[in-house]
Amino acid sequence: MRLSLRFILPLILVLAGIAYGISPLVDQLTLRWFIRDLNSRSTLIANTIQEPLLEQLAAGKRAKTEEFFNRITQDERLFALGYCASPDSVMLASRSLPEEIRCGELDRWQQPQGHLLASVHGPLHISVRPMASEASPAGRLVLVHDMSFITRRTEETKRYVFYFFMALAAVVSLITVVIAQLSWRGWMAGMSSLLRGEGLLRKPSGGALAPRPEFKPIARDLQRLIHDLEAESRARDESQITWTPEALRTILHSELSGEDVIVVSNREPYIHQRHGERIEVTRPASGLVTALEPIMRACSGTWIAHGSGSADLEVVDRHDRIQVPPERPSYQLRRVWLSSEEEAGYYYGFANEGMWPLCHIAHVRPTFRSSDWAQYLAVNRKFAKAVVSEAKTKAPIVLVQDYHFALLPKMIREELPEATIITFWHIPWPNPESFAICPWRDEILAGMLGSSIMGFHTQFHCNNFVDTVDRFIEARVDRESFTVSFGGKLTAVRRYPISIAWPPEPEMLQKTVPTCRSSIRELNDLPHEHKVGVGVDRLDYTKGIVERFRAIERLLELNPDWVGRFTFVQVAAPTRSGIDEYQHHEAQVRAMATRINGRFERQGPPPIVLRIEHHEPQAVYEYFRAADLCFVSSLHDGMNLVAKEFVAARDDERGVLILSEFTGAARELPEALIVNPYDADQCAAAMHLALTMAATEQRDRMRLMRGLVAEFNVFRWAGRMLLDAAAMRRRGRLVEKTERGGR
């Protein structure tokens, strides 16, 4: 409306000024036209009455002549009539003739500018016409017309002129505003698209992409502004910030002050289990929890998760919330309850029998059932309602975690269109050919593209996702900016390599390395100088535990001297035991460990110690600090935080990391011994090298890896996402402000 007034008011004022300015000209023209008309009328009247008037004058009938004049002046315009026989005679006139008109002064009324008389009756027009006769050769007829009707007509004409110009102003304003609005909306739509990264380019026939001409004058400035904002964030990210919980809090305070931050994941960071009369609190063995909890401690947000513990329901308030961590509450955990049918279909069925093997190339066929899909859809909707109920504002920042919630971003977007939704996919993303197996691939992609930012561990996974979107759904993919435009919304696809907290919690390093070495060897009945390798994983077929055991067997075949001198301790947390594949895998792992131990049974410790049980983080760190090597043999992994935890645990700068090339961590930790877990000989050689590596080389390798883990820690991972979210929100506010200014 303000923009319209900017067009209308100047037009109205200018045209009103023009109408006011031409009013005198209209008066003059109107008066001239009417005087010309009155002169013509006077001549006509004079010619008409000349004969009867002269007859009466010749007969000397003065009284009848005056009566004749009075009858004629009954015309509304003819005010008076008079006759002068000579300049010295007395005027023979009608009763209404003004006194100012005398026979001796008629010459003055014949002057070009002397035909008007102002009287008490209003303006009068005087016209003198010759009316000669034999008796009075100098006789003249005086005709006086009332000009008040001309004044009325002039006022009406001026009003009509003013109305005309006002109507003209309205029409011109309307046309101008319509054209301006259409042009403005098109311009604003282009500007909005430009700010979102869309609409800037067009493709001429047979040519390459080029900027649209109308945006050339401003595109460069806008791009420079956006680039400067992003460069500022990147500069702070890359060089000025030492990423700690305090730094993350500072970012939240400066960039996202007062913002509502919500994390959504299937796994909860704390589980309450009942043991008789006692309720115990445990932290699950999960890389996701390891990565996200430091973020929540830093930002004091809300974490929404499935309440799976046997005592979870007993400890929450009436809104299903509880403050955590127990020892030092710093954020809120909101639990969502699932029925056994929902958990079986959504979690064990679609997520872990379908999506998990689909995304991990681990040679296990995915299983898809329509009943599982129905539960997956229902549970995603249940979590969406929880997000909406926990949101304190209309525009929260929502961090959606992992493959359990592929549909959730779109559902949140429908309820909270102003939310900034960052979805992080913790597992690999397959190539389009592999993803094509999923019967609901289009729905999953559409759900994920409800995100403002879609994050993956590696650029390779980003590429696979963009290729998949490009292959299967109608979306516009910009590979230069790595954005996807779908349903009028833009999703940025970004690489965010996840990491761990740095430095580790002091209690994790409370025991010295010599103490850990002694206690772990004593716990597992191993000699003090015995070489120990360690693997810490969930009991999952993607972790390559079977391949790891084959490599250990091959090591002992190729280097028999290690029999009785080297033991590999496999810490395996039970997981998804309700799924047949996991039951089969556990049985296979147990059988293989038994077979290898039986094959190399001699006097002394076994080659493999298998501990299938949950271990608290402090116990895991104790194994890391005690081991001579850590073997991570994942067959396909998004990142693998166990490798980084092992590096973080070794403040003595000793120990060797053997790392599968199929992990995201292999791209960040090249100082590890990188192996193909399917190649048993290569893995055996790497273990032999690790067991015989000089302390100086161990120190050099570990020092470099610790430096990288320290710099690229979980707070940096979270900070980069939050900085990108802040930049996106600033850009959105700029677009909104620009669009609002156009209305």
Side-chain angles (χ1 to χ4, degrees), residues 40 75 181 260 270 309 319 324 329 361 478 529-530 545 557 570 589 632 675 706 713:
S40 299
D75 183 289
Q181 283 290 338
D260 187 13
Y270 291 91
H319 299 293
V324 291
I361 304 173
D478 186 341
E529 296 300 326
H530 200 72
I545 298 175
E557 289 174 352
Q570 177 62 54
V589 168
V632 175
V675 297
R706 284 175 62 81
N713 57 40

Side-chain angles (χ1 to χ4, degrees), residues 650-671:
R650 299 314 297 253
D651 57 354
D652 62 336
E653 297 180 347
R654 296 290 296 274
V656 180
L657 174 63
I658 303 173
L659 186 55
S660 166
E661 64 180 283
F662 303 121
T663 63
R667 293 166 173 80
E668 296 190 310
L669 302 173
E671 293 79 20

Side-chain angles (χ1 to χ4, degrees), residues 169-481:
V171 172
V172 172
S173 298
L174 179 63
I175 295 173
T176 304
V177 168
V178 169
I179 294 174
Q181 283 290 338
L182 292 175
S183 301
W184 181 255
R185 288 178 183 176
W187 190 82
M188 288 306 304
M191 284 292 299
S192 300
S193 298
L194 177 63
L195 289 170
R196 293 193 301 265
E198 304 173 355
L200 177 61
L201 301 179
R202 63 179 177 87
K203 189 172 184 179
S205 56
L209 289 173
R212 291 179 177 171
E214 62 267 30
F215 293 133
K216 282 184 178 179
I218 58 169
R220 190 182 307 107
D221 293 339
L222 281 172
Q223 288 174 332
R224 187 181 298 118
L225 173 62
I226 292 169
H227 175 76
D228 290 345
L229 289 172
E230 292 176 345
E232 179 185 353
S233 295
R234 282 197 302 270
R236 289 190 303 170
D237 183 7
E238 300 298 331
S239 60
Q240 298 182 14
I241 298 177
T242 300
W243 288 98
T244 62
E246 291 70 27
L248 190 54
R249 289 190 189 96
T250 302
I251 290 294
L252 289 168
H253 180 72
S254 62
E255 301 290 345
L256 299 167
S257 179
E259 302 287 8
D260 187 13
V261 181
I262 301 172
V263 165
V264 186
S265 71
N266 176 74
R267 191 180 297 272
E268 55 186 338
Y270 291 91
I271 301 175
H272 291 79
Q273 300 283 14
R274 174 164 289 285
H275 298 280
E277 296 298 319
R278 228 168 9 94
I279 294 178
E280 290 186 359
V281 183
T282 60
R283 286 185 61 192
S286 167
L288 185 148
V289 173
T290 302
L292 286 180
E293 200 197 13
I295 301 168
M296 297 310 292
R297 292 191 186 197
C299 70
S300 301
T302 300
W303 188 322
I304 301 175
H306 168 215
S308 58
S310 58
D312 280 354
L313 187 58
E314 300 179 42
V315 298
V316 296
D317 62 16
R318 62 189 181 92
H319 299 293
D320 299 322
R321 302 181 187 126
I322 184 173
Q323 294 293 318
V324 291
E327 67 280 2
R328 190 185 300 169
S330 57
Y331 66 94
Q332 181 173 268
L333 173 60
R334 160 70 188 277
R335 285 169 169 154
V336 175
W337 314 111
L338 302 180
S339 67
S340 56
E341 291 81 8
E342 287 174 326
E343 189 173 4
Y346 141 80
Y347 180 75
Y348 291 106
F350 190 82
N352 288 305
E353 288 188 271
M355 293 299 292
W356 179 268
L358 176 68
C359 293
H360 288 85
I361 304 173
H363 313 295
V364 172
R365 291 182 179 180
T367 301
F368 293 106
R369 309 177 189 90
S370 59
S371 58
D372 292 343
W373 169 254
Q375 295 292 357
Y376 187 81
L377 183 65
V379 171
N380 272 250
R381 188 169 288 116
K382 182 178 286 190
F383 272 85
K385 291 180 180 178
V387 171
V388 173
S389 67
E390 292 298 325
K392 301 179 181 66
T393 66
K394 293 182 180 179
I397 296 175
V398 185
L399 301 170
V400 178
Q401 303 302 313
D402 227 351
Y403 62 101
H404 309 93
F405 300 112
L407 307 179
L408 187 58
K410 181 182 178 183
M411 293 177 177
I412 297 173
R413 176 73 60 208
E414 290 170 350
E415 296 295 327
L416 299 170
E418 298 177 32
T420 300
I421 304 169
I422 306 173
T423 300
F424 190 77
W425 199 259
H426 288 261
I427 62 177
W429 186 268
N431 57 44
E433 289 75 16
S434 297
F435 190 74
I437 296 171
C438 181
W440 298 280
R441 63 195 183 197
D442 292 357
E443 290 87 342
I444 289 172
L445 292 173
M448 295 172 70
L449 290 176
S451 309
S452 310
I453 300 174
M454 190 70 223
F456 297 92
H457 288 296
T458 69
Q459 190 60 45
F460 181 68
H461 297 153
C462 293
N463 297 343
N464 278 351
F465 178 76
V466 170
D467 290 343
T468 304
V469 169
D470 204 16
R471 176 79 61 89
F472 294 117
I473 64 175
E474 290 294 328
R476 190 171 67 82
V477 173
D478 186 341
R479 295 181 184 274
E480 183 177 353
S481 62

Side-chain angles (χ1 to χ4, degrees), residues 64 170 186 562 607 632 665:
K64 285 189 176 183
W562 289 117
V632 175

Side-chain angles (χ1 to χ4, degrees), residues 556-574:
L556 301 180
E557 289 174 352
L558 296 173
N559 300 278
D561 291 345
W562 289 117
V563 178
R565 296 176 52 220
F566 168 68
T567 295
F568 191 87
V569 180
Q570 177 62 54
V571 176

